[in-house]
């Protein structure tokens, strides 16, 4: 049972990583996200801040808005968000308002992640779990910023 | 000098209130926002959560995205956001990423306002000021929720 759960989380995190790679290729900070409902992806997104010249265009915001449109309701209590990097304050707030059932992330973000805030900005009913495919998610970020510096 | 500043803040808060009344008339929680650059409104927005079935469609998000499009850049350091109610965590995060020069709000929101969080989710360079036309902003909210209960 635990193995099945782990492999489902890894399977969907791979889809979030596919989104993150799209961001990487577009010169965007490589963060990707998918929203899953009943084992099906109902929203996808990757960081589009530079492309749209919009500081709010984070991967999670795109994926949550897409999922709400797809499921036909603003509340996503039966949905799980998979995102390659720990959500920032803005995106944690978006998770709160959409009452996401679960948020699963890969790499931690000690500087901008919502985990550093008190009280937690996530909805009390949202299950939050980090570290899924952490190495791959981190490696993509590290490679992106290393390329920027050269 | 102080009087002039006050009256400019009130003038733009009146524009945010005009946006909030549009939300009220659409059956949305009545919050409105404008973004001002060089004395000119470059972005407007009102709450569209129910209309769009999107929990992220807050007034500030619309106004910030519109302003970024209008000024042609993701950073709004020279801009002021006027919003009728204290920004929530999500919207404070959006203010952070867009590096808004100032955030001016009307009514406080002790329950959902970003002010209750530590550390503050606003950008350290953002000047935050509350209480502008507070009574009018609060009255609109009170009237909305009273109507819901009848």
């Amino acid at each position: 049972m635990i193995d099945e759960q782990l492999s489902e989380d890894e399977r969907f995190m791979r889809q979030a990583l596919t989104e993150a790679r799209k961001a990487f290729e577009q010169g965007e900070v490589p963060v990707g996200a998918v929203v899953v409902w009943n084992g099906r992806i109902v929203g996808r997104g990757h960081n589009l801040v530079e492309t749209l010249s919009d500081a709010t265009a984070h991967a999670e915001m795109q994926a949550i808005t897409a999922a709400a449109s797809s499921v036909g309701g603003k509340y996503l209590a039966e949905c799980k968000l998979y995102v390659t990097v720990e959500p920032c304050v803005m995106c944690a707030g978006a998770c709160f308002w959409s009452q996401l059932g679960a948020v699963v992330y890969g790499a931690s973000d000690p500087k901008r992640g919502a985990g550093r805030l008190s009280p937690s900005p996530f909805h009390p009913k949202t299950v939050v779990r980090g570290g899924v495919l952490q190495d791959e998610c981190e490696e993509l970020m590290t490679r992106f910023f290393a390329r920027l510096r050269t």
Side-chain angles (χ1 to χ4, degrees), chain A:
Chain A
M1 181 64 188
I2 289 169
D3 278 359
E4 273 172 28
Q5 186 54 43
L6 274 178
S7 83
E8 184 175 293
D9 279 354
E10 287 182 3
R11 186 159 59 91
F12 288 121
M13 190 60 82
R14 291 217 178 281
Q15 293 292 316
L17 270 164
T18 299
E19 288 297 315
R21 283 188 201 103
K22 290 182 195 167
F24 187 98
E25 282 155 24
Q26 290 171 274
E28 300 273 2
V29 175
V31 183
V34 296
V35 174
V36 174
W37 184 45
N38 284 336
R40 199 164 56 87
I41 292 175
V42 291
R44 292 177 169 274
H46 58 271
N47 186 19
L48 285 172
V49 165
E50 303 302 329
T51 306
L52 300 179
S53 280
D54 181 352
T56 73
H58 285 197
E60 300 96 312
M61 303 302 284
Q62 327 274 336
I64 288 171
T65 296
S69 173
S70 182
V71 307
K74 62 180 174 169
Y75 294 129
L76 305 174
E78 293 172 12
C79 296
K80 276 189 179 188
L81 171 76
Y82 290 84
V83 55
T84 56
V85 179
E86 183 186 355
C88 75
V89 175
M90 174 180 72
C91 294
C95 294
F96 173 88
W97 290 115
S98 55
Q99 297 186 11
L100 269 156
V103 172
V104 181
Y105 64 87
S108 293
D109 184 353
K111 196 168 171 195
R112 298 283 172 234
R116 75 201 166 87
L117 285 180
S118 176
S120 167
F122 287 104
H123 195 281
K125 287 189 183 163
T126 302
V127 177
V128 181
R129 180 185 173 211
V132 174
L133 300 186
Q134 180 168 355
D135 291 349
E136 284 176 63
C137 296
E138 271 179 11
E139 187 273 335
L140 199 60
M141 292 286 276
T142 306
R143 191 149 48 94
F144 178 80
F145 287 108
R147 198 172 67 168
L148 273 192
R149 282 186 211 101
T150 54

